[in-house]
Amino acid sequence: GIQVEQSPPDLILQEGANSTLRCNFSDSVNNLQWFHQNPWGQLINLFYIPSGTKQNGRLSATTVATERYSLLYISSSQTTDSGVYFCASGAGSYQLTFGKGTKLSVIP
Amino acid sequence: GAGVSQSPSNKVTEKGKDVELRCDPISGHTALYWYRQSLGQGLEFLIYFQGNSAPDKSGLPSDRFSAERTGGSVSTLTIQRTQQEDSAVYLCASSLGTPLEQYFGPGTRLTVT
């Protein structure tokens, strides 16, 4: 099955800083999603982005399907951005395969 | 509108007992998925339902696990003779179809003592 790798595994930012999270996947995908898991464990949908670029406020994402990677950009980080960010992809089937996540800590 | 709901939010059970976990998908979503999240294995797929088609059970870890979906809506995941390694957060998701965006419920935290 498809392999999904996320980097970095851990990231500590000062409030106000910008960051880029990366997701590499091993095969062509027809589904690519970014999630933020909050401290209560809820997976919050950030982007559905099997290809192209999308922006939502301080967050944006780009997927380059031909090169098998996706990037999540967080600008002007806030303490509420802390948590684990997951990339998940699907290749030819419906199930999502998740990466191990990037744990982001934003300190005041 | 209402999101995916799951119940109970927490469940503590003794080893060897059976448990049932419930998922109520977003209204109108034809696809429903179960995943689980554990410390050692991360987030992993368990089972998938699409409309009236036979479910894909390829992710179920053992024959102690089963699931059903009644009337194309509510789903129940049943774990028989629970073991300590079944302790995890069980997540349900739904989507309008496949391969479309999946939306997750808050999960059921299962602890087997």
Side-chain angles (χ1 to χ4, degrees):
Chain A
I2 190 170
Q3 307 295 315
V4 179
E5 294 184 357
Q6 291 186 243
S7 60
D10 295 277
L11 185 59
I12 300 175
L13 294 178
Q14 200 77 37
E15 196 169 25
N18 303 328
S19 64
T20 301
L21 282 56
R22 186 176 180 103
C23 173
N24 292 332
F25 39 91
S26 61
D27 205 345
S28 300
V29 298
N30 54 15
N31 188 348
L32 192 292
Q33 292 186 237
W34 283 97
F35 298 91
H36 176 212
Q37 189 165 45
N38 66 20
W40 297 271
Q42 175 76 54
L43 283 170
I44 308 297
N45 288 45
L46 297 178
F47 294 103
Y48 170 72
I49 189 166
S51 64
T53 297
K54 290 185 178 180
Q55 179 157 7
N56 184 3
R58 296 182 296 104
L59 303 182
S60 64
T62 294
T63 297
V64 184
T66 53
E67 297 189 20
R68 301 182 182 171
Y69 72 89
S70 182
L71 302 174
L72 177 69
Y73 305 96
I74 304 174
S75 64
S76 305
S77 58
Q78 301 175 358
T79 55
T80 52
D81 295 332
S82 296
V84 183
Y85 289 79
F86 286 102
C87 168
S89 64
S93 65
Y94 32 75
Q95 62 176 275
L96 289 176
T97 299
F98 283 78
K100 295 185 185 301
T102 292
K103 183 177 180 181
L104 174 65
S105 300
V106 182
I107 55 177
Chain B
V4 178
S5 60
Q6 293 186 243
S7 61
S9 54
N10 282 283
K11 177 72 176 179
V12 180
T13 190
E14 293 180 352
K15 177 181 173 181
K17 298 282 179 122
D18 297 353
V19 294
E20 286 188 351
L21 313 179
R22 176 189 168 103
C23 171
D24 216 325
I26 293 172
S27 177
H29 281 196
T30 59
L32 186 148
Y33 319 76
W34 284 96
Y35 295 82
R36 73 175 176 181
Q37 184 173 25
S38 57
L39 282 175
Q41 301 299 320
L43 272 149
E44 54 181 349
F45 165 79
L46 296 177
I47 188 169
Y48 158 77
F49 296 88
Q50 172 62 58
N52 294 322
S53 302
D56 177 351
K57 307 177 183 180
S58 60
L60 295 179
S62 80
D63 58 9
R64 296 184 296 104
F65 288 71
S66 63
E68 63 177 20
R69 189 178 184 191
T70 54
S73 182
V74 172
S75 176
T76 302
L77 177 69
T78 301
I79 309 173
Q80 296 179 308
R81 304 181 303 282
T82 51
Q83 304 295 312
Q84 287 188 329
E85 62 263 27
D86 300 334
S87 296
V89 177
Y90 289 81
L91 294 162
C92 178
S94 69
S95 64
L96 273 173
T98 57
L100 297 177
E101 187 171 9
Q102 297 182 25
Y103 296 86
F104 283 75
T108 294
R109 181 174 297 277
L110 175 67
T111 304
V112 182
T113 61

